[in-house]
Amino acid sequence: MSTARDPGLQPERTRLAWRRTLLTVTVVAALAVRLASTGGTPGALIAGLTVLVWGALLMLCWPRGTGTGPARTGGRTLPLVALGTVGLALLGVLTVTRGLW
């Protein structure tokens, strides 16, 4: 009985999922910067925070999406991406509630 593992298309599906995540975060960041750009100082702060979160998520997702990163990261990547996503959602709520568009 062979114990060789055949991953099939799982690695490709995983890379595509990370690429979709990065693309989605990029679009959200671009829209947030566009909305916040007319808001004066608060808008500039929100835009700056959005760009920082986008950069952090880019550093986390890029190696996984291109297949150049480690297969296992000790379970750190997913919680950090979730935290960044929640941060972007909170910035979006702040942008809408403050009427910075």
Side-chain angles (χ1 to χ4, degrees), residues 51-73:
V51 170
L52 286 175
V53 170
W54 174 78
L57 290 175
L58 178 68
M59 288 180 13
L60 288 171
C61 295
W62 186 262
R64 302 291 298 267
T66 58
T68 59
R72 292 277 183 209
T73 58

Side-chain angles (χ1 to χ4, degrees), residues 92-100:
V93 168
L94 180 63
T95 301
V96 171
T97 59
R98 298 275 302 172
L100 296 175

